[in-house]
Amino acid sequence: CQLRLRSASVSSRHAELFVRDAGLWVRDLGSTNGTFLNGDRLESERALAEGDILHFADQEFRVSALPDLGDLTGTFTSTVQISQGTAQLGLRSIREVRSFLDSIRSEFVHIVFQPIVDLRDGRIVAYEALGRVHNPDLPVSPAQLFELADRLGMTLELSRAFRHRTLQEATSLPAGDAGERPRLFLNSHPLEIPSSGELLADLRAFRERHPDEPLVLEIHEAAVTDPEKFTALRSELEELGIGHAFDDFGAGEARLRELSEAAPELVKFDAHFARGVHEAPRRLEVARALVQMMHALDIDTLIEGVETEEEVEACRAVGFRYAQGYYFGRPQALADLER
């Protein structure tokens, strides 16, 4: 056997994968616990397609294609329950996987926009785009959704689906309070930054269609571990007329060395800096010192997670230039923003 699975539920000669007419096929070899394709037990040989879910007894796999090689390869594995000699497939797992694959290629992907205001006068000057998937079989929380994507090896696909939908809607954002076009803050995933070819290709295509649309790419601080690579990315973004911001500063390791060497245009401070900051003198002073350091480096500052008037006043006194949070507006769909 060319592929041996470490499971007592898999037969010695369980199933066969073979090529026919340039496609990948599977047949069961009379196994005890069965071979299943998308939840259905195989009674005959079947052709496979990208995204199909295969079970050999309790071992679960997803079929995927690598475009550059043309090979059907790559696997996602998990274990599901075996009972009384029959494979009791993890139906929730199968449904989640199928729903996930269907959702990121369909109308289930939605974008909501949260306003960003200038703390000096309260004007809406930008919106952050946040991805959502509305599917009853999938988690509502974006964090849980990315956990599922990571488990399926499809984190980049999910991030790309959100980005494509965001760029489709970007030009329809309502004008700011003074009639100017608001900047759109576009999220990226840390995995996209070290090798940013596809991300930059999407941004170039958008810029060709919309040369004047103001755009800012958010880059998580955890992704900025190589100042040289980030400097190259920054040059590409500047050539496209796209701004860049460090996101979630202070949520993990505050990368001060990268800040001094890579010098982003803007730093977004994590929401924990805002929570009850007016009642936390030491945190207030830490925030003030960091903001002063940013401004000395000619870096703008934005604070996330502002929810009360007291937090607004404290953040303004600290010196933050911009802010976002429920106090200014919850994330809303484009149609609701227009109303």
Side-chain angles (χ1 to χ4, degrees):
C1 292
Q2 294 168 304
L3 176 62
R4 300 182 183 184
L5 305 182
R6 293 185 178 182
S7 169
S9 301
V10 176
S11 299
S12 299
R13 295 182 69 256
H14 191 104
E16 183 179 13
L17 293 162
F18 61 97
V19 175
R20 175 187 291 165
D21 300 327
L24 187 64
W25 290 64
V26 62
R27 66 165 67 98
D28 186 75
L29 298 178
S31 64
T32 302
N33 290 314
T35 302
F36 297 78
L37 177 60
N38 299 325
D40 297 325
R41 186 162 187 160
L42 288 183
E43 303 296 338
S44 60
E45 55 193 36
R46 295 273 297 278
L48 297 174
E50 184 173 10
D52 278 343
I53 306 302
L54 267 177
H55 284 85
F56 305 110
D58 64 343
Q59 303 295 297
E60 182 176 282
F61 296 84
R62 177 176 60 85
V63 180
S64 64
L66 293 182
D68 55 338
L69 298 178
D71 294 336
L72 283 162
T73 182
T75 58
F76 152 68
T77 68
S78 70
T79 302
V80 293
Q81 201 66 30
I82 287 292
S83 175
Q84 299 177 348
T86 302
Q88 304 296 320
L89 295 183
L91 294 179
R92 171 173 166 75
S93 174
I94 295 172
R95 190 163 57 244
E96 267 192 340
V97 173
R98 296 300 299 180
S99 295
F100 182 88
L101 294 171
D102 292 341
S103 292
I104 65 174
R105 299 167 184 157
S106 75
E107 70 281 0
F108 286 112
V109 173
H110 294 279
I111 304 300
V112 291
F113 300 89
Q114 187 171 33
I116 295 172
V117 304
D118 190 322
L119 278 175
R120 294 172 300 179
D121 52 22
R123 289 183 305 114
I124 294 175
V125 294
Y127 291 91
E128 180 182 1
L130 302 164
R132 302 286 187 267
V133 170
H134 297 313
N135 187 319
D137 292 329
L138 294 176
V140 175
S141 160
Q144 291 178 330
L145 196 62
F146 269 102
E147 284 178 11
L148 175 62
D150 184 58
R151 188 157 56 90
L152 301 178
M154 298 192 69
T155 303
L156 296 180
E157 285 85 346
L158 178 59
S159 183
R160 195 175 305 130
F162 285 152
R163 179 166 64 252
H164 287 177
R165 182 55 60 90
T166 298
L167 294 176
Q168 288 171 11
E169 300 187 5
T171 56
S172 299
L173 282 171
D177 294 338
E180 77 283 5
R181 291 297 303 154
R183 289 191 293 173
L184 176 64
F185 281 67
L186 177 69
N187 281 289
S188 63
H189 192 278
L191 292 178
E192 295 178 293
I193 301 306
S195 180
S196 53
E198 191 151 5
L199 169 63
L200 286 169
D202 288 342
L203 296 178
R204 285 192 197 98
F206 175 80
R207 184 50 84 219
E208 288 174 5
R209 297 191 302 272
H210 308 286
D212 300 319
E213 198 66 26
L215 197 64
V216 177
L217 181 69
E218 294 193 23
I219 301 168
H220 194 281
E221 65 162 21
V224 189
T225 56
D226 187 333
E228 188 174 331
K229 285 186 178 179
F230 179 77
T231 300
L233 173 61
R234 184 183 61 188
S235 297
E236 294 267 13
L237 294 174
E238 289 173 350
E239 191 175 310
L240 293 170
I242 295 172
H244 56 283
F246 278 8
D247 190 20
D248 290 337
F249 180 79
E253 177 187 350
R255 301 182 182 276
L256 299 178
R257 181 175 71 88
E258 285 81 353
L259 268 179
S260 62
E261 295 183 17
E265 294 177 21
L266 183 144
V267 167
K268 294 184 73 173
F269 280 66
D270 185 69
H272 87 267
F273 279 103
R275 297 284 189 268
V277 65
H278 57 291
E279 300 175 331
R282 292 177 68 87
R283 182 150 38 99
L284 197 68
E285 290 310 311
V286 168
R288 192 190 311 275
L290 288 170
V291 167
Q292 289 175 352
M293 179 186 70
M294 303 292 177
H295 292 171
L297 293 170
D298 200 25
I299 299 171
D300 267 334
T301 52
L302 187 158
I303 180 70
E304 297 183 280
V306 180
E307 297 187 350
T308 69
E309 189 170 351
E310 292 81 6
E311 291 171 356
V312 172
E313 293 306 322
C315 290
R316 183 181 287 121
V318 160
F320 284 106
R321 172 79 182 274
Y322 303 107
Q324 72 182 100
Y326 287 172
Y327 179 83
F328 304 104
R330 291 177 177 269
Q332 290 183 300
L334 188 60
D336 296 320
L337 284 181
E338 291 168 344
R339 286 197 295 270

